[in-house]
Amino acid sequence: MNHPTSGQPELLVLRPLMPAQMEQLEQAFQLHRYDLAEDPEALLHEVGGRIRGVVTSGAPGFQAAMLPRLPALEIVSTSSVGTDSIAVAACKEKGIHVTNTPDVLNDDVADLAIGLVLNALRRLGDGHEYVRSGQWSQRGMMPLGRSLKGKRMGIVGLGRIGLEIAKRAEAMKMDILYTSRNRKDVPYPYYATPVELAANCDILMLACPGGADTRHLINAQVLDALHPEAWVINISRGSVVDEEALINALQRKSIGGAGLDVFENEPHIDTRFQQLDNVILFPHHASGTTETRSAMSQLVVDNLKAHFRGEPLLTPL
Ligand code: 8YV
């Protein structure tokens, strides 16, 4: 498998795609499975000089430290919309293309965001446990939830995913407000800072990109601006939230709770989250459906094929 016999471009797979798309890759390219290698270092040593493309995803991403090991690299294709774990600037400096998977995941991620809001206000998880544990028959009606209708959803980052969340929240009769690097041409009220937004919303929905620019954008000051029944929902990146400040707010119940799909240190999250009763935790799986992961995988394949055919990339960065 590791010998250059086919004349096909050689790719290094850091994280595999869905099975159907792996088959397509296998037909068009010679694959080297870094993800499966018993000795990844030895694999790099053997084939690094011939690798022309890298296949990866948000985790493990692609680090600049790999570049000297891959002198023939032309393209890094990640099965993620987020590129905070990809050394984009270092790649571009060397003329290496980077592609990601925008748009195809917007709907699923937005659905999950609304799912977390529903779970928070209508207590879906609590209700499930109430029935399953037999409390319903012993105690009668479970405690009341809160309506979504009329609640103010403050969206941080009104990009492609944020807009899809807004559409769904509108359908649930919520009011939308937002903050973003730039004011958008939308009918929703704009707030210049997350603190001002937090002071005016019931749900603080985090939908901005991760990375250095947004690191700890949601800090103690923002959390203090939320009212005691407000929820933070995060489907963006764990790095956007100062987790120490969030855990503190959750422990002293200065906010209603947090619905989190993403964490600072995944999958080894801060164990204090697991001890809180005002959180809804999800394992970074907002795009985790067969349909969306297939579409993301297909985009990776199509970008790679386009590149090696000399055609324009579909979704370059
Ligand atoms: C994936 C994501 O879960 O697209 C993104 O940026 O965070 C998710 O869709 C991630 O790529 C998996 O590693």
Side-chain angles (χ1 to χ4, degrees), residues 15 57-59 79-82 101 105 237 284 287 293 296:
R15 168 102 181 249
S57 76
S79 181
S80 65
V81 64
T101 57
L105 44 58
R237 283 291 183 263
H284 195 154
S287 70
R293 287 290 165 83
M296 291 164 74

Side-chain angles (χ1 to χ4, degrees), residues 11 25 29 53-55 75 77 300-308:
L11 305 183
L25 281 188
F29 303 100
V54 161
V55 176
I75 181 167
S77 197
V300 170
V301 173
D302 294 346
N303 270 304
L304 287 166
K305 284 190 174 172
H307 171 74
F308 288 104

Side-chain angles (χ1 to χ4, degrees), residues 1-2 10-19 21-23 25-26 29-44 46-47 51 53 55 66:
M1 190 188 184
N2 292 339
E10 296 184 45
L11 305 183
L12 193 67
V13 178
L14 304 189
R15 168 102 181 249
L17 303 174
M18 293 286 280
Q21 284 74 28
M22 283 307 281
E23 269 179 38
L25 281 188
E26 270 155 21
F29 303 100
Q30 193 181 350
L31 304 187
H32 300 287
R33 299 291 301 264
Y34 187 84
D35 60 316
L36 298 179
E38 259 173 45
D39 186 347
E41 197 39 46
L43 176 67
L44 263 192
E46 185 190 341
V47 304
I51 296 297
V55 176
M66 261 215 174

Side-chain angles (χ1 to χ4, degrees), residues 15 56-61 78-85 100-102 105 109 161 235-237 261-262 266 283-288 292-293 296:
R15 168 102 181 249
T56 189
S57 76
T78 180
S79 181
S80 65
V81 64
T83 53
D84 48 308
S85 61
N100 67 341
T101 57
L105 44 58
V109 175
I161 293 172
I235 50 83
S236 64
R237 283 291 183 263
D261 179 45
V262 286
E266 299 172 7
H284 195 154
H285 214 43
S287 70
T292 288
R293 287 290 165 83
M296 291 164 74

Side-chain angles (χ1 to χ4, degrees), residues 65-242:
M66 261 215 174
L67 286 171
R69 315 294 304 277
L70 307 173
L73 189 62
E74 295 167 30
I75 181 167
V76 173
S77 197
T78 180
S79 181
S80 65
V81 64
T83 53
D84 48 308
S85 61
I86 311 284
V88 179
C91 286
K92 286 197 166 178
E93 236 171 66
K94 291 190 169 297
I96 297 164
H97 301 284
V98 181
T99 67
N100 67 341
T101 57
D103 291 323
V104 292
L105 44 58
N106 296 352
D107 289 317
D108 274 347
V109 175
D111 288 351
L112 199 275
I114 295 296
L116 290 172
V117 176
L118 262 176
N119 204 332
L121 299 198
R122 300 302 308 277
R123 313 178 65 151
L124 300 187
D126 292 347
H128 177 77
E129 217 29 60
Y130 204 73
V131 177
R132 196 161 65 168
S133 66
Q135 291 181 77
W136 190 19
S137 57
Q138 287 157 18
R139 297 191 183 180
M141 187 180 75
M142 73 175 260
L144 298 177
R146 300 299 300 252
S147 301
L148 274 69
K149 179 181 171 181
K151 295 289 183 301
R152 298 160 302 167
M153 178 186 282
I155 303 181
V156 178
L158 201 65
R160 291 175 283 228
I161 293 172
L163 275 171
E164 285 300 330
I165 296 172
K167 275 192 215 164
R168 285 159 175 75
E170 273 197 285
M172 316 300 273
K173 304 186 179 171
M174 301 181 80
D175 296 325
I176 314 298
L177 18 151
Y178 76 103
T179 186
S180 208
R181 259 176 311 183
N182 307 303
R183 193 187 283 263
K184 314 265 172 178
D185 184 20
V186 290
Y188 314 129
Y190 173 77
Y191 290 80
T193 65
V195 175
E196 289 167 74
L197 186 73
N200 288 284
C201 70
D202 304 298
I203 303 285
L204 189 67
M205 173 64 71
L206 311 182
C208 57
D213 291 350
T214 56
R215 186 167 187 277
H216 290 190
L217 185 66
I218 306 305
N219 54 21
Q221 204 196 352
V222 176
L223 296 169
D224 283 346
L226 289 165
H227 67 72
E229 283 192 41
W231 277 70
V232 174
I233 307 288
N234 190 5
I235 50 83
S236 64
R237 283 291 183 263
S239 59
V240 173
V241 178
D242 176 348

